[in-house]
Amino acid sequence: MDVRRRLLRRHAALRPLLPRGYHAYPVAGGRIYLDLRESPMMLARVLRMYEAPKFAALRQHLRPGDVFVDVGANKGDFALFAARLVGAGGRVIAVEPEPTNADWIERSVARNHYANVEVVRVALAERDGDAVLHLGEKSGWHSLLSTEGVATTGEVTVPTQTLDAMLAARDVDHVDAIKIDVEGAEERVLAGAAATFSGDHPMLVLLDVHPGRGVDPVAVGARLTDWGFTLDAPVTPTTKSITALRS
């Protein structure tokens, strides 16, 4: 473990030695196309050190036949992992609006022959329509928000849809687990998701929160508790990750 941590800390120095461009690497979900030079987070995926608590939570809660939704799928590592857990009888919906990210997810899905994964090229928000996606310096930093002090490399117009409408269009009447990482648009996603989150169906929520982009973690946590979820830890104004469960 210490060796892997040292490798991550030295990513900048190691970068010229890493393979150039995208290649398929083995991870817990199969093989995934990554550019290891992009950032330490990409190398962390190959070293099996990326977001370990989230992967553990999915391993504990997802069962064959379940439905998993990955909102802000980036390169698709969670979607691929879930595809193995839910099996041929389950469904995985990977939501990713940025075209290049979505292309690579689809290539990884095809590489693993997963027939249970669908890539949906929209940004989830509070209403259906269109919006500007601000492109970050790293592929996981794209956002519907233009935040002062956050560098961008351009922008692209993408379709938006509510989570409720997106699922209804696919005849999905419940979700067993959902991961949301949308770089500051968390409250916009939840505003269009009342039908998905209400009710009493057991559900796991893994939600990244971005207070630095103006999101109020306490308000987000309160919304989840209002929907009947139990939070795994108290939420403060500086909380950056929320795990919630309705059993």
Side-chain angles (χ1 to χ4, degrees):
M1 182 68 73
D2 289 341
V3 172
R4 289 184 291 168
R5 288 199 180 97
R6 286 199 294 272
L7 288 173
L8 291 180
R9 286 197 297 267
R10 299 188 63 227
H11 180 268
L14 292 172
R15 189 175 182 275
L17 305 177
L18 296 172
R20 185 185 301 275
Y22 281 81
H23 300 277
Y25 298 95
V27 294
R31 297 189 74 85
I32 186 171
Y33 284 98
L34 299 172
D35 178 0
L36 299 190
R37 292 191 178 196
E38 180 189 318
S39 69
M41 289 85 78
M42 298 301 157
L43 181 59
R45 286 165 164 87
V46 174
L47 296 176
R48 309 291 178 94
M49 295 182 67
Y50 180 71
E51 302 274 25
K54 291 182 182 177
F55 282 100
L58 291 179
R59 184 181 292 110
Q60 179 179 354
H61 290 281
L62 280 179
R63 297 291 180 266
D66 279 355
V67 177
F68 172 68
V69 179
D70 188 357
V71 183
N74 189 211
K75 291 301 188 293
D77 43 321
F78 285 101
L80 298 178
F81 183 63
R84 282 192 167 180
L85 295 176
V86 305
R91 294 184 69 175
V92 175
I93 300 174
V95 182
E96 176 54 54
E98 199 280 317
T100 301
N101 280 345
D103 287 344
W104 285 112
I105 298 171
E106 289 184 342
R107 288 192 61 175
S108 294
V109 170
R111 176 70 181 257
N112 292 281
H113 306 290
Y114 288 148
N116 57 352
V117 180
E118 179 184 3
V119 179
V120 181
R121 295 172 179 247
V122 302
L124 295 187
E126 70 278 16
R127 63 177 63 88
D128 296 356
D130 295 290
V132 173
L133 183 70
H134 302 275
L135 304 179
E137 294 179 316
K138 306 298 182 184
S139 67
W141 294 353
H142 309 321
S143 176
L144 292 179
L145 279 68
S146 176
T147 306
E148 184 176 354
V150 177
T152 59
T153 61
E155 58 186 40
V156 60
T157 299
V158 297
T160 63
Q161 196 171 21
T162 68
L163 177 61
D164 290 344
M166 187 273 291
L167 294 176
R170 289 161 177 78
D171 296 320
V172 176
D173 60 7
H174 74 275
V175 172
D176 297 290
I178 186 168
K179 186 224 86 182
I180 302 173
D181 184 0
V182 288
E183 297 298 315
E186 299 88 271
E187 291 172 297
R188 296 183 65 176
V189 173
L190 296 180
T196 302
F197 282 87
S198 60
D200 56 7
H201 184 82
M203 184 176 175
L204 171 69
V205 179
L206 304 173
L207 176 63
D208 280 23
V209 191
H210 296 80
R213 287 184 175 267
V215 180
D216 181 355
V218 176
V220 171
R223 188 188 289 258
L224 290 171
T225 57
D226 287 345
W227 278 326
F229 289 88
T230 299
L231 309 184
D232 74 329
V235 177
T236 73
T238 59
T239 292
K240 294 183 178 179
S241 179
I242 295 175
T243 298
L245 180 66
R246 185 171 61 214
S247 57

